[in-house]
Amino acid sequence: MQSFRARVLTPDLDGPGSHPLRWIPDAHVVIDDAGRLVEVAPYTGQPVDEDLRPGVLLPGFVDGHVHYPQTRIVGSASGPLLEWLQRSTFPEESRFSDDTHAREVARIFCAALASAGTTLAFVYASRHETAADAVLDALDQAGLRALVGPVWMDARSPDALTISAERSEEAVRRLADRWHGHDDRLQVAVIPRFAVTSSEAGLRRAGDLSRELGLWATTHLAENTAECDTVAELFGRRYLQVYEDAGLVHDRSVFAHCIHLTDAEWDRFAAAGAVVAHCPDSNAFLGSGNMPTGAVVSRDIPVIIGTDVAAGRSFRVPRILSSAYDNALAAGHELTPATLLWWGTRSGALALGHDHIGAVAPGLDADLVLVDVPPWVDDADGVLAWTLFYADAPLPRRTWVRGRVIWDRDAHAARGGVFPWDLPG
Ligand SMILES: [Zn+2]
């Protein structure tokens, strides 16, 4: 048992409806030995293990789209999507055939996630099975939750990154045998990188495998107009149709970006029960455009937020939520801060089938993040303002997954750590 006194802000379990948030200015929080929240209630004078006030406990953040092998190239400015892939991404990802490099970056990546307050992430590895294994191992050690897969790239890719769909399938099967369901925290996923680097047969094999093994699938969709034109030229039809024909659009599939879709395509997307990974900072950095937030919200399409590092420039989900607000407003749609918090926590968890996390509520696992806000902030609106929109906010003070501390800022600083991944000592 662990018990705390803290301020608590959490989305409602069921969504940003009539009671979108619960704010407890002085709460008693108890976590049992299995890491489950057993009490979240107003404080009534009990002795506690630790008083975390004036810190605010929030649910851990969910990053629905992030590329682990791009960890070291954040801020690599080299133009729009297709140029950026050639100039920055593919050369870096080619290095992940080296297991030592893959394992070192995996450690850095996990520290970046935990220190950002992220507790669950949907992670693209490079095309290498060994690199996917390395990051799964690091995620396990770090105590994080994740869905992970190697990217499939069986066409129009640099030689060093090209791999047959058959070999990718074999890799996913082996990784799933080893890792899928591990400690109820790790899952293996099917991840064709995107249509441009896939053959028609490769996409179909990926779709078949995800349905055969019941694995989540994810890929990029309609991010950039040059990319959409290339797909139309290569496949002779529109982008979403290519994935539909491959059996990849279903209620366990996540599509990143989704900027250039027609209304009819959005209708089909919604009917399939697919999930949008909204990556507004990446969309800005690569000049891709604005995702039509209204089209998604009006159809009740499940949304998760993606940092999309390294096209996204931050591992911090709140930074991306701030960009989501800007993006929506520019497109004529005003999002509430409560909806943003929902997207970054409970919505992301539910969208990825994790109904046991995403809020600070009894019965859920204790996936939590402790944040600092200025001393004058004493209500839910203020906490949202300073947590979601203040770009200079300090890193979270602490992050827990299932009741276990996976990041402690003060302890890290006391050991001389500056960047989150600095080794102690
Ligand atoms: Zn991406």
PDB file of all heavy atoms in Angstrom, residues 86 90 93-94 97 126-129 151-168 193 196-199:
ATOM      1  N   GLN A  86      14.134  11.279 -46.764  1.00  0.00           N
ATOM      2  CA  GLN A  86      15.364  10.930 -47.487  1.00  0.00           C
ATOM      3  C   GLN A  86      16.597  11.533 -46.818  1.00  0.00           C
ATOM      4  O   GLN A  86      17.635  10.883 -46.717  1.00  0.00           O
ATOM      5  CB  GLN A  86      15.279  11.441 -48.947  1.00  0.00           C
ATOM      6  CG  GLN A  86      14.226  10.751 -49.790  1.00  0.00           C
ATOM      7  CD  GLN A  86      14.478   9.263 -50.015  1.00  0.00           C
ATOM      8  OE1 GLN A  86      15.599   8.780 -49.911  1.00  0.00           O
ATOM      9  NE2 GLN A  86      13.422   8.512 -50.292  1.00  0.00           N
ATOM     10  N   PHE A  90      15.855   8.336 -43.098  1.00  0.00           N
ATOM     11  CA  PHE A  90      16.350   7.044 -43.570  1.00  0.00           C
ATOM     12  C   PHE A  90      17.831   6.831 -43.222  1.00  0.00           C
ATOM     13  O   PHE A  90      18.213   5.719 -42.806  1.00  0.00           O
ATOM     14  CB  PHE A  90      16.075   6.875 -45.062  1.00  0.00           C
ATOM     15  CG  PHE A  90      14.601   6.714 -45.404  1.00  0.00           C
ATOM     16  CD1 PHE A  90      14.129   6.941 -46.696  1.00  0.00           C
ATOM     17  CD2 PHE A  90      13.682   6.335 -44.428  1.00  0.00           C
ATOM     18  CE1 PHE A  90      12.778   6.791 -47.011  1.00  0.00           C
ATOM     19  CE2 PHE A  90      12.323   6.176 -44.725  1.00  0.00           C
ATOM     20  CZ  PHE A  90      11.874   6.415 -46.024  1.00  0.00           C
ATOM     21  N   GLU A  93      17.813   5.846 -39.520  1.00  0.00           N
ATOM     22  CA  GLU A  93      17.209   4.528 -39.251  1.00  0.00           C
ATOM     23  C   GLU A  93      18.090   3.388 -39.781  1.00  0.00           C
ATOM     24  O   GLU A  93      18.047   2.272 -39.248  1.00  0.00           O
ATOM     25  CB  GLU A  93      15.782   4.460 -39.824  1.00  0.00           C
ATOM     26  CG  GLU A  93      14.831   5.371 -39.062  1.00  0.00           C
ATOM     27  CD  GLU A  93      13.348   5.033 -39.217  1.00  0.00           C
ATOM     28  OE1 GLU A  93      13.021   3.956 -39.753  1.00  0.00           O
ATOM     29  OE2 GLU A  93      12.518   5.857 -38.783  1.00  0.00           O
ATOM     30  N   SER A  94      18.897   3.684 -40.801  1.00  0.00           N
ATOM     31  CA  SER A  94      19.795   2.646 -41.337  1.00  0.00           C
ATOM     32  C   SER A  94      20.799   2.195 -40.276  1.00  0.00           C
ATOM     33  O   SER A  94      21.306   1.071 -40.318  1.00  0.00           O
ATOM     34  CB  SER A  94      20.556   3.172 -42.557  1.00  0.00           C
ATOM     35  OG  SER A  94      19.651   3.496 -43.585  1.00  0.00           O
ATOM     36  N   SER A  97      20.653  -1.282 -37.744  1.00  0.00           N
ATOM     37  CA  SER A  97      21.097  -2.668 -37.930  1.00  0.00           C
ATOM     38  C   SER A  97      22.171  -2.992 -36.876  1.00  0.00           C
ATOM     39  O   SER A  97      22.450  -4.159 -36.603  1.00  0.00           O
ATOM     40  CB  SER A  97      21.664  -2.856 -39.335  1.00  0.00           C
ATOM     41  OG  SER A  97      22.716  -1.932 -39.551  1.00  0.00           O
ATOM     42  N   SER A 126      12.565   0.720 -36.133  1.00  0.00           N
ATOM     43  CA  SER A 126      13.070   0.722 -37.506  1.00  0.00           C
ATOM     44  C   SER A 126      12.600  -0.580 -38.159  1.00  0.00           C
ATOM     45  O   SER A 126      11.849  -1.346 -37.564  1.00  0.00           O
ATOM     46  CB  SER A 126      14.599   0.809 -37.495  1.00  0.00           C
ATOM     47  OG  SER A 126      15.121  -0.343 -36.862  1.00  0.00           O
ATOM     48  N   ARG A 127      13.100  -0.875 -39.336  1.00  0.00           N
ATOM     49  CA  ARG A 127      12.621  -2.096 -40.001  1.00  0.00           C
ATOM     50  C   ARG A 127      13.298  -3.350 -39.420  1.00  0.00           C
ATOM     51  O   ARG A 127      12.966  -4.463 -39.787  1.00  0.00           O
ATOM     52  CB  ARG A 127      12.827  -1.977 -41.515  1.00  0.00           C
ATOM     53  CG  ARG A 127      14.274  -2.008 -42.001  1.00  0.00           C
ATOM     54  CD  ARG A 127      14.736  -3.434 -42.237  1.00  0.00           C
ATOM     55  NE  ARG A 127      15.905  -3.527 -43.083  1.00  0.00           N
ATOM     56  CZ  ARG A 127      16.718  -4.583 -43.069  1.00  0.00           C
ATOM     57  NH1 ARG A 127      16.525  -5.586 -42.235  1.00  0.00           N
ATOM     58  NH2 ARG A 127      17.748  -4.627 -43.899  1.00  0.00           N
ATOM     59  N   HIS A 128      14.233  -3.155 -38.476  1.00  0.00           N
ATOM     60  CA  HIS A 128      15.040  -4.266 -37.978  1.00  0.00           C
ATOM     61  C   HIS A 128      14.381  -4.971 -36.790  1.00  0.00           C
ATOM     62  O   HIS A 128      14.057  -4.332 -35.795  1.00  0.00           O
ATOM     63  CB  HIS A 128      16.426  -3.760 -37.554  1.00  0.00           C
ATOM     64  CG  HIS A 128      17.081  -2.880 -38.571  1.00  0.00           C
ATOM     65  ND1 HIS A 128      16.937  -1.506 -38.584  1.00  0.00           N
ATOM     66  CD2 HIS A 128      17.869  -3.190 -39.638  1.00  0.00           C
ATOM     67  CE1 HIS A 128      17.615  -0.997 -39.598  1.00  0.00           C
ATOM     68  NE2 HIS A 128      18.183  -1.995 -40.259  1.00  0.00           N
ATOM     69  N   GLU A 129      14.267  -6.280 -36.888  1.00  0.00           N
ATOM     70  CA  GLU A 129      13.696  -7.061 -35.780  1.00  0.00           C
ATOM     71  C   GLU A 129      14.507  -6.857 -34.500  1.00  0.00           C
ATOM     72  O   GLU A 129      13.950  -6.731 -33.400  1.00  0.00           O
ATOM     73  CB  GLU A 129      13.696  -8.549 -36.165  1.00  0.00           C
ATOM     74  CG  GLU A 129      13.154  -9.459 -35.075  1.00  0.00           C
ATOM     75  CD  GLU A 129      13.181 -10.934 -35.496  1.00  0.00           C
ATOM     76  OE1 GLU A 129      13.434 -11.210 -36.690  1.00  0.00           O
ATOM     77  OE2 GLU A 129      12.944 -11.792 -34.625  1.00  0.00           O
ATOM     78  N   VAL A 151       8.950  -1.433 -38.541  1.00  0.00           N
ATOM     79  CA  VAL A 151       8.236  -0.935 -39.719  1.00  0.00           C
ATOM     80  C   VAL A 151       8.499  -1.860 -40.907  1.00  0.00           C
ATOM     81  O   VAL A 151       9.605  -2.363 -41.087  1.00  0.00           O
ATOM     82  CB  VAL A 151       8.618   0.518 -40.093  1.00  0.00           C
ATOM     83  CG1 VAL A 151       8.055   1.499 -39.083  1.00  0.00           C
ATOM     84  CG2 VAL A 151      10.104   0.698 -40.266  1.00  0.00           C
ATOM     85  N   TRP A 152       7.431  -2.099 -41.661  1.00  0.00           N
ATOM     86  CA  TRP A 152       7.545  -2.901 -42.883  1.00  0.00           C
ATOM     87  C   TRP A 152       7.865  -1.937 -44.027  1.00  0.00           C
ATOM     88  O   TRP A 152       7.170  -0.936 -44.209  1.00  0.00           O
ATOM     89  CB  TRP A 152       6.232  -3.628 -43.186  1.00  0.00           C
ATOM     90  CG  TRP A 152       5.743  -4.592 -42.150  1.00  0.00           C
ATOM     91  CD1 TRP A 152       5.850  -4.491 -40.791  1.00  0.00           C
ATOM     92  CD2 TRP A 152       5.026  -5.808 -42.403  1.00  0.00           C
ATOM     93  NE1 TRP A 152       5.255  -5.572 -40.186  1.00  0.00           N
ATOM     94  CE2 TRP A 152       4.726  -6.395 -41.147  1.00  0.00           C
ATOM     95  CE3 TRP A 152       4.597  -6.461 -43.563  1.00  0.00           C
ATOM     96  CZ2 TRP A 152       4.028  -7.595 -41.020  1.00  0.00           C
ATOM     97  CZ3 TRP A 152       3.888  -7.657 -43.444  1.00  0.00           C
ATOM     98  CH2 TRP A 152       3.623  -8.222 -42.187  1.00  0.00           C
ATOM     99  N   MET A 153       8.908  -2.266 -44.822  1.00  0.00           N
ATOM    100  CA  MET A 153       9.309  -1.407 -45.950  1.00  0.00           C
ATOM    101  C   MET A 153       9.780  -2.330 -47.083  1.00  0.00           C
ATOM    102  O   MET A 153      10.964  -2.613 -47.188  1.00  0.00           O
ATOM    103  CB  MET A 153      10.454  -0.469 -45.527  1.00  0.00           C
ATOM    104  CG  MET A 153      10.119   0.450 -44.359  1.00  0.00           C
ATOM    105  SD  MET A 153      11.549   1.391 -43.746  1.00  0.00           S
ATOM    106  CE  MET A 153      11.802   2.560 -45.098  1.00  0.00           C
ATOM    107  N   ASP A 154       8.844  -2.789 -47.909  1.00  0.00           N
ATOM    108  CA  ASP A 154       9.238  -3.782 -48.916  1.00  0.00           C
ATOM    109  C   ASP A 154       9.308  -3.212 -50.326  1.00  0.00           C
ATOM    110  O   ASP A 154       9.439  -3.972 -51.283  1.00  0.00           O
ATOM    111  CB  ASP A 154       8.300  -5.006 -48.863  1.00  0.00           C
ATOM    112  CG  ASP A 154       6.909  -4.711 -49.392  1.00  0.00           C
ATOM    113  OD1 ASP A 154       6.487  -3.539 -49.322  1.00  0.00           O
ATOM    114  OD2 ASP A 154       6.240  -5.648 -49.872  1.00  0.00           O
ATOM    115  N   ALA A 155       9.226  -1.872 -50.460  1.00  0.00           N
ATOM    116  CA  ALA A 155       9.291  -1.293 -51.807  1.00  0.00           C
ATOM    117  C   ALA A 155       9.786   0.148 -51.737  1.00  0.00           C
ATOM    118  O   ALA A 155       9.572   0.833 -50.736  1.00  0.00           O
ATOM    119  CB  ALA A 155       7.903  -1.315 -52.459  1.00  0.00           C
ATOM    120  N   ARG A 156      10.440   0.561 -52.799  1.00  0.00           N
ATOM    121  CA  ARG A 156      10.833   1.966 -52.960  1.00  0.00           C
ATOM    122  C   ARG A 156      11.517   2.550 -51.726  1.00  0.00           C
ATOM    123  O   ARG A 156      11.264   3.681 -51.332  1.00  0.00           O
ATOM    124  CB  ARG A 156       9.609   2.815 -53.338  1.00  0.00           C
ATOM    125  CG  ARG A 156       8.988   2.408 -54.684  1.00  0.00           C
ATOM    126  CD  ARG A 156       7.689   3.112 -54.967  1.00  0.00           C
ATOM    127  NE  ARG A 156       6.631   2.712 -54.074  1.00  0.00           N
ATOM    128  CZ  ARG A 156       5.862   1.623 -54.241  1.00  0.00           C
ATOM    129  NH1 ARG A 156       6.022   0.853 -55.294  1.00  0.00           N
ATOM    130  NH2 ARG A 156       4.936   1.309 -53.362  1.00  0.00           N
ATOM    131  N   SER A 157      12.396   1.759 -51.113  1.00  0.00           N
ATOM    132  CA  SER A 157      13.118   2.187 -49.922  1.00  0.00           C
ATOM    133  C   SER A 157      14.616   2.068 -50.194  1.00  0.00           C
ATOM    134  O   SER A 157      15.024   1.309 -51.077  1.00  0.00           O
ATOM    135  CB  SER A 157      12.765   1.288 -48.734  1.00  0.00           C
ATOM    136  OG  SER A 157      11.368   1.244 -48.543  1.00  0.00           O
ATOM    137  N   PRO A 158      15.439   2.796 -49.434  1.00  0.00           N
ATOM    138  CA  PRO A 158      16.891   2.601 -49.587  1.00  0.00           C
ATOM    139  C   PRO A 158      17.247   1.132 -49.350  1.00  0.00           C
ATOM    140  O   PRO A 158      16.576   0.452 -48.554  1.00  0.00           O
ATOM    141  CB  PRO A 158      17.484   3.479 -48.473  1.00  0.00           C
ATOM    142  CG  PRO A 158      16.401   4.430 -48.083  1.00  0.00           C
ATOM    143  CD  PRO A 158      15.095   3.754 -48.386  1.00  0.00           C
ATOM    144  N   ASP A 159      18.307   0.666 -50.010  1.00  0.00           N
ATOM    145  CA  ASP A 159      18.667  -0.750 -49.899  1.00  0.00           C
ATOM    146  C   ASP A 159      18.797  -1.197 -48.444  1.00  0.00           C
ATOM    147  O   ASP A 159      18.348  -2.276 -48.070  1.00  0.00           O
ATOM    148  CB  ASP A 159      19.991  -1.018 -50.629  1.00  0.00           C
ATOM    149  CG  ASP A 159      19.811  -0.954 -52.138  1.00  0.00           C
ATOM    150  OD1 ASP A 159      18.637  -0.938 -52.593  1.00  0.00           O
ATOM    151  OD2 ASP A 159      20.829  -0.899 -52.851  1.00  0.00           O
ATOM    152  N   ALA A 160      19.424  -0.347 -47.634  1.00  0.00           N
ATOM    153  CA  ALA A 160      19.697  -0.743 -46.250  1.00  0.00           C
ATOM    154  C   ALA A 160      18.418  -0.905 -45.443  1.00  0.00           C
ATOM    155  O   ALA A 160      18.426  -1.534 -44.382  1.00  0.00           O
ATOM    156  CB  ALA A 160      20.601   0.297 -45.585  1.00  0.00           C
ATOM    157  N   LEU A 161      17.324  -0.325 -45.917  1.00  0.00           N
ATOM    158  CA  LEU A 161      16.080  -0.397 -45.152  1.00  0.00           C
ATOM    159  C   LEU A 161      15.043  -1.306 -45.793  1.00  0.00           C
ATOM    160  O   LEU A 161      13.967  -1.512 -45.242  1.00  0.00           O
ATOM    161  CB  LEU A 161      15.498   1.012 -44.967  1.00  0.00           C
ATOM    162  CG  LEU A 161      16.294   1.926 -44.026  1.00  0.00           C
ATOM    163  CD1 LEU A 161      15.661   3.316 -43.949  1.00  0.00           C
ATOM    164  CD2 LEU A 161      16.401   1.322 -42.630  1.00  0.00           C
ATOM    165  N   THR A 162      15.361  -1.847 -46.956  1.00  0.00           N
ATOM    166  CA  THR A 162      14.379  -2.686 -47.639  1.00  0.00           C
ATOM    167  C   THR A 162      14.352  -4.091 -47.032  1.00  0.00           C
ATOM    168  O   THR A 162      15.391  -4.681 -46.760  1.00  0.00           O
ATOM    169  CB  THR A 162      14.725  -2.786 -49.142  1.00  0.00           C
ATOM    170  OG1 THR A 162      14.745  -1.458 -49.687  1.00  0.00           O
ATOM    171  CG2 THR A 162      13.688  -3.615 -49.884  1.00  0.00           C
ATOM    172  N   ILE A 163      13.145  -4.575 -46.806  1.00  0.00           N
ATOM    173  CA  ILE A 163      12.978  -5.917 -46.244  1.00  0.00           C
ATOM    174  C   ILE A 163      11.701  -6.496 -46.842  1.00  0.00           C
ATOM    175  O   ILE A 163      10.696  -5.784 -46.987  1.00  0.00           O
ATOM    176  CB  ILE A 163      12.928  -5.871 -44.703  1.00  0.00           C
ATOM    177  CG1 ILE A 163      12.753  -7.275 -44.104  1.00  0.00           C
ATOM    178  CG2 ILE A 163      11.840  -4.924 -44.195  1.00  0.00           C
ATOM    179  CD1 ILE A 163      12.969  -7.320 -42.588  1.00  0.00           C
ATOM    180  N   SER A 164      11.722  -7.768 -47.176  1.00  0.00           N
ATOM    181  CA  SER A 164      10.523  -8.352 -47.787  1.00  0.00           C
ATOM    182  C   SER A 164       9.401  -8.427 -46.752  1.00  0.00           C
ATOM    183  O   SER A 164       9.656  -8.546 -45.548  1.00  0.00           O
ATOM    184  CB  SER A 164      10.831  -9.758 -48.323  1.00  0.00           C
ATOM    185  OG  SER A 164      11.018 -10.648 -47.242  1.00  0.00           O
ATOM    186  N   ALA A 165       8.174  -8.389 -47.235  1.00  0.00           N
ATOM    187  CA  ALA A 165       7.030  -8.480 -46.319  1.00  0.00           C
ATOM    188  C   ALA A 165       7.028  -9.823 -45.613  1.00  0.00           C
ATOM    189  O   ALA A 165       6.620  -9.936 -44.451  1.00  0.00           O
ATOM    190  CB  ALA A 165       5.736  -8.269 -47.093  1.00  0.00           C
ATOM    191  N   GLU A 166       7.522 -10.839 -46.313  1.00  0.00           N
ATOM    192  CA  GLU A 166       7.584 -12.162 -45.697  1.00  0.00           C
ATOM    193  C   GLU A 166       8.496 -12.143 -44.468  1.00  0.00           C
ATOM    194  O   GLU A 166       8.156 -12.673 -43.403  1.00  0.00           O
ATOM    195  CB  GLU A 166       8.111 -13.146 -46.749  1.00  0.00           C
ATOM    196  CG  GLU A 166       8.014 -14.585 -46.330  1.00  0.00           C
ATOM    197  CD  GLU A 166       8.552 -15.513 -47.431  1.00  0.00           C
ATOM    198  OE1 GLU A 166       9.032 -15.015 -48.482  1.00  0.00           O
ATOM    199  OE2 GLU A 166       8.509 -16.738 -47.216  1.00  0.00           O
ATOM    200  N   ARG A 167       9.643 -11.485 -44.610  1.00  0.00           N
ATOM    201  CA  ARG A 167      10.574 -11.415 -43.470  1.00  0.00           C
ATOM    202  C   ARG A 167       9.999 -10.552 -42.347  1.00  0.00           C
ATOM    203  O   ARG A 167      10.178 -10.842 -41.160  1.00  0.00           O
ATOM    204  CB  ARG A 167      11.933 -10.875 -43.922  1.00  0.00           C
ATOM    205  CG  ARG A 167      12.754 -11.924 -44.683  1.00  0.00           C
ATOM    206  CD  ARG A 167      14.124 -11.388 -45.062  1.00  0.00           C
ATOM    207  NE  ARG A 167      14.917 -11.008 -43.892  1.00  0.00           N
ATOM    208  CZ  ARG A 167      15.916 -10.127 -43.911  1.00  0.00           C
ATOM    209  NH1 ARG A 167      16.231  -9.518 -45.050  1.00  0.00           N
ATOM    210  NH2 ARG A 167      16.591  -9.839 -42.818  1.00  0.00           N
ATOM    211  N   SER A 168       9.300  -9.473 -42.711  1.00  0.00           N
ATOM    212  CA  SER A 168       8.668  -8.652 -41.663  1.00  0.00           C
ATOM    213  C   SER A 168       7.623  -9.457 -40.919  1.00  0.00           C
ATOM    214  O   SER A 168       7.507  -9.374 -39.688  1.00  0.00           O
ATOM    215  CB  SER A 168       8.038  -7.395 -42.282  1.00  0.00           C
ATOM    216  OG  SER A 168       9.038  -6.527 -42.770  1.00  0.00           O
ATOM    217  N   ARG A 193       5.147   0.923 -42.885  1.00  0.00           N
ATOM    218  CA  ARG A 193       5.529   2.324 -42.660  1.00  0.00           C
ATOM    219  C   ARG A 193       4.522   3.279 -43.280  1.00  0.00           C
ATOM    220  O   ARG A 193       3.940   4.101 -42.618  1.00  0.00           O
ATOM    221  CB  ARG A 193       6.917   2.592 -43.227  1.00  0.00           C
ATOM    222  CG  ARG A 193       7.335   4.020 -42.973  1.00  0.00           C
ATOM    223  CD  ARG A 193       8.724   4.369 -43.428  1.00  0.00           C
ATOM    224  NE  ARG A 193       9.185   5.438 -42.566  1.00  0.00           N
ATOM    225  CZ  ARG A 193      10.173   5.348 -41.694  1.00  0.00           C
ATOM    226  NH1 ARG A 193      10.899   4.265 -41.626  1.00  0.00           N
ATOM    227  NH2 ARG A 193      10.462   6.355 -40.907  1.00  0.00           N
ATOM    228  N   VAL A 196       3.783   4.437 -49.589  1.00  0.00           N
ATOM    229  CA  VAL A 196       4.857   4.759 -50.530  1.00  0.00           C
ATOM    230  C   VAL A 196       5.991   3.736 -50.450  1.00  0.00           C
ATOM    231  O   VAL A 196       6.604   3.405 -51.465  1.00  0.00           O
ATOM    232  CB  VAL A 196       5.389   6.191 -50.267  1.00  0.00           C
ATOM    233  CG1 VAL A 196       6.587   6.496 -51.163  1.00  0.00           C
ATOM    234  CG2 VAL A 196       4.286   7.223 -50.489  1.00  0.00           C
ATOM    235  N   THR A 197       6.276   3.213 -49.267  1.00  0.00           N
ATOM    236  CA  THR A 197       7.369   2.235 -49.136  1.00  0.00           C
ATOM    237  C   THR A 197       6.828   0.808 -48.994  1.00  0.00           C
ATOM    238  O   THR A 197       7.470  -0.049 -48.392  1.00  0.00           O
ATOM    239  CB  THR A 197       8.280   2.562 -47.939  1.00  0.00           C
ATOM    240  OG1 THR A 197       7.462   2.706 -46.765  1.00  0.00           O
ATOM    241  CG2 THR A 197       9.066   3.835 -48.154  1.00  0.00           C
ATOM    242  N   SER A 198       5.632   0.586 -49.548  1.00  0.00           N
ATOM    243  CA  SER A 198       5.028  -0.743 -49.460  1.00  0.00           C
ATOM    244  C   SER A 198       4.566  -1.201 -50.839  1.00  0.00           C
ATOM    245  O   SER A 198       4.162  -0.380 -51.666  1.00  0.00           O
ATOM    246  CB  SER A 198       3.791  -0.721 -48.553  1.00  0.00           C
ATOM    247  OG  SER A 198       4.118  -0.294 -47.254  1.00  0.00           O
ATOM    248  N   SER A 199       4.573  -2.511 -51.030  1.00  0.00           N
ATOM    249  CA  SER A 199       3.922  -3.076 -52.212  1.00  0.00           C
ATOM    250  C   SER A 199       2.476  -3.378 -51.839  1.00  0.00           C
ATOM    251  O   SER A 199       2.132  -3.480 -50.654  1.00  0.00           O
ATOM    252  CB  SER A 199       4.623  -4.367 -52.635  1.00  0.00           C
ATOM    253  OG  SER A 199       4.341  -5.386 -51.685  1.00  0.00           O
TER     254      SER A 199
END
